[in-house]
Amino acid sequence: MIEIGAQVDLSYPPDRVWLALTDRKLLGRWFAEADVVEGVADRLLLHTAELPGFEANVEVEVTERQDPALLVLACDEAGRLSELTCAVTATSQGCRLEVREVTTHGAWSADQHDPREQQLRQALTVRLPAILDWLAFQQVDLRGGGGMTAELPLIGALGTSGRTRRRRRTLVALVAGVALLAGTAAWITLPPESKPTATPASTAAPSPSVTAGVTPAAPTVSRSTRPSRSTASATTRPSRTPSATPPSPPASAAPPPPPAPAVVARYETDSSRLFGYTGEVVVDNPGGVAVADWAVVVTLGEGTTVDDVDGADWRQDGRSITFTGAPVAAGGSRTVSFDVRDSRPKAREPESCTIGGQPCAGL
């Protein structure tokens, strides 16, 4: 038995999500087009042959249905059998949709499993919310006339007959993973150049001559062969021989500039959804060594919530979301995408995005 699955938290009531699951015309907009199998009740043919992870069209039949909470389908993909379960659970902010498919006869190949699961995740986190946004928009009257802003599509119950449409592939543009090299940030803060401290000459008392690199002894009269200094020479100015002045440090002795940041990041927004947007952060490592410790902090606007995150671990503190993840290889990159529910009519991006305290490019 091989299993794939995904789940998503949605800001919509269970009834609306159930409609998107069970109406074949809506199903064709976010997953795959469906045709009724003539003469068999509750059986559909999903046109999935050209989708990633699928080798043929899938014939599905409803085996259990509990409106609006549970839908179980028996699936047949060119002799490979599986069971698909869709569970809808109400939450405080809407509902949670969990989809799970388990093989009952045959198995997916190694080249099928991951693309199939990725296709399911993209459908649930990107295309399905877009359709739910569209359905919600039909109930918003922007003209003040009491009617809909657009006409709803004709919606039939699951299993009703309809004209067979020519098969076409359902593709929805996803957020472009633009892994642009942000470049090395060029900021260099040069510390002030070291300067030797000049000790002013004292005219009130004699000062023994001090040569560079020699610690002066106690102020006693020298008994060496060098001429001694008596107290009568108190007014004599100190020697200004070159040996008494420390040599100026060479220009090359200045401290090296601080190293460039190990990783940089770039942010992009896909604002094609009606009541939210999808944000994407590409973390680049232009250096020659893998970087294991990195963190991207995104600050959301008022009235926004995160629905789903892909490509990183995350934690939330108020409106700040911190993303962390696996090491970024030298010269490599990592992409983090997240869905945001946004009630603001014009705002379509976070308030800020930083990595290692430095702002992300593109925001």
Side-chain angles (χ1 to χ4, degrees):
M1 180 181 69
I2 302 177
E3 177 179 328
I4 65 173
Q7 71 176 29
V8 60
D9 291 325
L10 300 165
S11 303
Y12 296 98
D15 289 342
R16 187 173 298 164
V17 176
W18 182 259
L19 181 62
L21 286 173
T22 56
D23 180 83
R24 65 184 183 88
K25 293 184 178 180
L26 294 177
L27 185 64
R29 295 188 175 214
W30 68 271
F31 183 66
E33 289 197 358
D35 290 330
V36 175
V37 177
E38 296 184 3
V40 182
D42 285 344
R43 181 173 292 184
L44 297 175
L45 181 66
L46 299 180
H47 295 293
T48 56
E50 297 181 4
L51 296 180
F54 291 84
E55 293 182 344
N57 293 336
V58 178
E59 188 172 312
V60 300
E61 182 175 0
V62 178
T63 59
E64 185 177 356
R65 176 170 177 163
Q66 300 176 14
D67 299 18
L70 180 65
L71 183 67
V72 181
L73 304 173
C75 307
D76 184 350
E77 181 187 358
R80 185 186 295 108
L81 306 181
S82 62
E83 183 179 74
L84 182 68
T85 302
C86 304
V88 182
T89 306
T91 64
S92 59
Q93 295 184 347
C95 68
R96 173 173 296 169
L97 172 60
E98 182 177 3
V99 179
R100 183 170 61 104
E101 186 176 13
V102 180
T103 57
T104 57
H105 178 73
W108 299 300
S109 66
D111 294 335
Q112 278 185 291
H113 183 275
D114 290 347
R116 193 183 188 102
E117 189 166 44
Q118 181 67 17
Q119 175 72 14
L120 176 62
R121 176 179 289 272
Q122 291 175 351
L124 293 182
T125 60
V126 179
R127 298 194 288 269
L128 177 58
I131 290 300
L132 296 174
D133 285 344
W134 179 79
L135 286 175
F137 189 67
Q138 313 309 308
Q139 302 177 4
V140 178
D141 183 9
L142 300 179
R143 300 168 299 180
M148 297 292 186
T149 59
E151 184 179 357
L152 280 170
L154 297 176
I155 296 175
L158 182 66
T160 57
S161 61
R163 186 177 61 182
T164 303
R165 296 177 295 177
R166 185 176 63 182
R167 185 178 66 184
R168 63 182 177 84
R169 183 177 181 180
T170 304
L171 290 177
V172 175
L174 300 176
V175 178
V178 185
L180 297 178
L181 182 63
T184 304
W187 75 91
I188 301 177
T189 303
L190 291 175
E193 185 177 357
S194 300
K195 298 181 180 180
T197 303
T199 304
S202 175
T203 58
S207 299
S209 176
V210 180
T211 59
V214 180
T215 303
T220 58
V221 179
S222 175
R223 298 183 181 277
S224 64
T225 57
R226 297 177 60 186
S228 61
R229 293 180 178 270
S230 63
T231 56
S233 61
T235 58
T236 305
R237 299 182 63 184
S239 172
R240 295 187 178 271
T241 59
S243 61
T245 304
S248 300
S252 59
V263 289
V264 292
R266 179 177 180 81
Y267 173 83
E268 288 196 2
T269 294
D270 177 4
S271 58
S272 59
R273 295 167 56 185
L274 297 177
F275 298 105
Y277 60 89
T278 297
E280 182 178 271
V281 178
V282 178
V283 179
D284 265 326
N285 179 10
V289 180
V291 175
D293 186 13
W294 61 271
V296 174
V297 179
V298 175
T299 302
L300 301 177
E302 292 287 351
T304 58
T305 57
V306 174
D307 277 350
D308 189 68
V309 176
D310 189 20
D313 298 324
W314 64 287
R315 67 179 186 273
Q316 183 169 358
D317 183 11
R319 293 189 290 119
S320 295
I321 313 296
T322 301
F323 302 102
T324 56
V328 183
S333 64
R334 179 167 297 276
T335 301
V336 180
S337 61
F338 53 97
D339 292 333
V340 177
R341 310 299 305 166
D342 194 343
S343 60
R344 299 173 295 175
K346 295 183 179 180
R348 282 295 182 267
E349 60 183 23
E351 292 184 354
S352 67
C353 171
T354 61
I355 181 168
Q358 300 300 319
C360 303
L363 183 63

